[in-house]
Amino acid sequence: MTTIDPHSPVPKYFQLRAILLDLIETAELPVDAPIPSERELCAEYGLSRMTVRQGVDQLVTEGRLYRVPGKGTFVARPKIEMPLRLVSFTEDMLSRGLRPGAIDLARRTVAADARLARLFEVEAGTAIHVIERLRTADGEPMALERSHILASFAPDLLDRRLADRSLYGVLEAVYGLVFDAGDQTIDAAVADATEAKQLHIPRGSAVLLLQRRSYAGGVCAELGVSTYRADRYQIHTALGNPPTTRS
């Protein structure tokens, strides 16, 4: 679609959204490039300023465009697909050609309360290491990670240097702990003041809240609770119809 069809049942603002999205996805409008002004879009497609603004606002809300006050509207970087497999943040970023980073925020050992005991399937009071880190890609904040590790698997883990290192890599190299299975849930949430400051996003911004349990030899050894920037991530999965049984 390169023109606006006034007879189409599709709203004009949504047709403009499709046109701009096509320009973005074909790289005619590359990352960080300014899009045409509202006046130019009005003249090019014969639309009212209100209609143009609605179409552009839609793409800003979706994270495909961003505004700089006093300068204009620009093409945002494409979102990263959320991995739906058992892989570390470091491995995932490296596979995308990005430089992974980790900044230590806090670390401590706690006695498992009723909830942690249930999730780990251990007795209440079991020692669990808690490690909080800010994860970055090419220096940009991407996620907050809170990793819970059964202390019995890695007794002196909190004494190890973990900044800018893969936690999974340390667990495997030092303690021989290799995760071979896991389960994960993803929820929508909004960033509170602390999360927003650490992730460099406005307070109340949309985030993805992940909870993952990782298993080694059938034993839950890690519980990860992570907050990911929703403006930098999207979820993609393949779909298919189950085979039909013919009688």
Side-chain angles (χ1 to χ4, degrees):
M1 180 190 296
T2 57
T3 60
I4 300 296
D5 181 359
H7 305 295
S8 172
V10 179
K12 291 180 180 179
Y13 83 88
F14 208 79
Q15 293 185 54
L16 177 63
R17 171 196 172 276
I19 291 172
L20 292 174
L21 195 57
D22 186 60
L23 293 174
I24 293 170
E25 292 180 343
T26 57
E28 290 187 51
L29 284 174
V31 173
D32 292 328
I35 68 168
S37 68
E38 286 185 1
R39 179 177 298 178
E40 291 171 324
L41 290 172
C42 289
E44 175 73 19
Y45 299 107
L47 299 172
S48 69
R49 180 160 290 189
M50 182 177 296
T51 299
V52 166
R53 188 167 298 167
Q54 192 174 4
V56 172
D57 284 348
Q58 182 73 29
L59 289 172
V60 171
T61 300
E62 294 172 11
R64 304 306 297 267
L65 299 174
Y66 67 93
R67 287 193 172 96
V68 178
K71 293 187 177 180
T73 305
F74 302 83
V75 177
R77 280 167 291 178
K79 294 186 177 184
I80 296 173
E81 288 186 5
M82 181 70 66
L84 299 180
R85 62 191 189 281
L86 193 59
V87 62
S88 72
F89 180 92
T90 297
E91 292 173 314
D92 186 39
M93 292 302 104
L94 289 174
S95 71
R96 303 175 192 276
L98 301 173
R99 186 182 76 260
I103 300 172
D104 275 338
L105 299 177
R107 54 175 70 187
R108 60 193 180 276
T109 302
V110 302
D113 57 16
R115 177 178 176 277
L116 284 177
R118 174 174 53 81
L119 290 171
F120 274 99
E121 300 177 354
V122 296
E123 293 185 0
T126 298
I128 294 178
H129 295 320
V130 183
I131 299 169
E132 298 180 47
R133 300 193 295 170
L134 174 66
R135 303 312 307 267
T136 63
D138 286 348
E140 179 185 15
M142 300 293 284
L144 291 168
E145 283 186 350
R146 180 180 292 113
S147 300
H148 305 73
I149 309 289
L150 277 181
S152 57
F153 281 96
D156 62 347
L157 178 62
L158 300 192
D159 298 328
R160 304 266 173 192
R161 185 183 69 83
L162 298 175
D164 292 328
R165 300 181 70 187
S166 166
L167 177 59
Y168 279 19
V170 171
L171 291 173
E172 179 176 354
V174 179
Y175 305 101
L177 182 60
V178 179
F179 298 120
D180 50 29
D183 57 65
Q184 179 171 269
T185 59
I186 303 174
D187 291 302
V190 295
D192 61 24
T194 300
E195 292 169 334
K197 182 178 180 180
Q198 292 169 327
L199 292 173
H200 296 181
I201 56 177
R203 180 177 181 178
S205 295
V207 293
L208 297 173
L209 184 63
L210 278 69
Q211 177 175 288
R212 179 166 71 182
R213 291 192 298 177
S214 302
Y215 294 81
V219 177
C220 178
E222 186 233 12
L223 167 69
V225 180
S226 304
T227 302
Y228 281 78
R229 290 175 51 171
D231 66 331
R232 297 292 288 118
Y233 277 89
Q234 64 183 1
I235 299 171
H236 173 82
T237 183
L239 301 176
N241 290 323
T244 57
T245 302
R246 298 180 181 274
S247 57

